[in-house]
Amino acid sequence: MTTTRRLAPVLAPVLALLIAAAPALAQPVVPEGRARARDLGVAPGVLAPGRWNAITDVAGVRVGHTTVVEGDSVRTGVTAILPHAGNLYRERVPAAVVVGNGFGKLLGSTQVGELGELETPILLTCTLCVWRAADAMVDTLLTLPGMERVRSINPLVGETNDGTLNAAIRSRPLRPEHVRAALAGAREAPVAMGSVGAGAGTVAFGWKGGIGSSSRVLTRGLGGWTVGVLVQSNFGGVLTVGGARVGEALGRHPFTRALADSARPAPPPGSADGSIVIVVATDAPLSDRNLRRLASRALLGLGRTGSYASNGSGDYVIAFSTAREVRRAFDAPRLSTTELANDGGDLSALFAAAADATEEAIYDSIFAATTVTSRGGTVQAIPLDRVREVLGRKR
């Protein structure tokens, strides 16, 4: 049996041709019994979050999930991030990609790096589903009004390898209808987190990983801009939460066995290998060059959680600006944009917001995730009571 969960569709006219939207299925931000970082008293930084504490606090940004569960083998999905509700090919946004460790597949990244702009939604999925996701999105976008003469399109698709829980990963179980559902179901609303969408089968720090999201809103004196982050966590290291070494305290990190017995160096389930994709959105009018600088600060937030970008980890950051002042019409003979100056204090505050929101989004992806079982095994959700104990000892 296939279970497809998606966010309630709020379709802009240009998206109306994507699919005939089925009745929406309500989906909580956090499943019962799970939590967000702030529920545990963990609130990185001094800047306040937005109303949903999610990437969708950046006006116009929409997120949709399709979670795919089939029998005892398929535990995967796709997550779509739309920078705005219009036609991205015709109204492009400046964007940048930063690579922390390049053990992964980020389809379409070279053109983003070359031209500094994004012309499609961003999709996240499983490693062997990247090309199927891209093909389905291209097929869908080519049917939109104004796309009749388009002969080239650059889909941006990221991945992490969920092959432990997604035991049928070799069958590449993502289908076009899953991608269409995620695109059509994307909405400007609270973001469901944990074992959903592209996070359905992921593992982080040896516990169940998934989708997490957070945001920061700058005060008026700092520019009033918003920065939002969404992560697909499937990586490892020594989990650190607000400075507390949770992974060490709970005995789950890549070096547990090696430190206990040098004759048996094989790591336990808390392996450091894996990947993470971080998507950073802002309404600040940034050029693609300054978006690259913003994206690099997200890696600082990643490091705070205990990652050291292991050899087998693919760590990628995608950043874009939704500001109308910096959008780029595909057929414009010249660009005329108004962007933040390099020496403005706003940039430093934006950098802080990106690091803090990334750190919190990663915690949310783990704390919101539920235990998942498949033919590949069972990956437990992190025990929140134990996390509270460790955090309490630190305080």
Side-chain angles (χ1 to χ4, degrees), residues 344-384:
D346 296 356
L347 281 176
S348 293
L350 289 166
F351 292 167
D356 293 343
T358 298
E359 180 184 1
E360 186 169 349
I362 291 169
Y363 297 148
D364 280 352
S365 74
I366 300 167
F367 297 161
T370 53
T371 297
V372 173
T373 297
S374 75
R375 180 166 54 85
T378 295
V379 177
Q380 298 287 339
I382 193 170
L384 297 179

Side-chain angles (χ1 to χ4, degrees), residues 29-30 35-36 53-56 63 65 79 81 124 191-196 198-199 202 209-215 228-233 276-279 357-369:
V29 172
V30 176
R36 297 191 69 178
N53 194 12
I55 194 172
T56 47
V63 173
H65 300 301
T79 295
I81 302 100
L124 306 178
V191 175
M193 302 186 199
S195 307
V196 297
T202 61
I211 298 295
S213 195
S214 186
S215 69
V229 173
L230 182 144
V231 303
Q232 177 195 20
S233 67
I276 183 170
V277 182
I278 304 167
V279 179
T358 298
E359 180 184 1
E360 186 169 349
I362 291 169
Y363 297 148
D364 280 352
S365 74
I366 300 167
F367 297 161

Side-chain angles (χ1 to χ4, degrees), residues 336-357:
S336 178
T337 64
T338 303
E339 57 196 51
L340 292 185
N342 289 334
D343 59 355
D346 296 356
L347 281 176
S348 293
L350 289 166
F351 292 167
D356 293 343

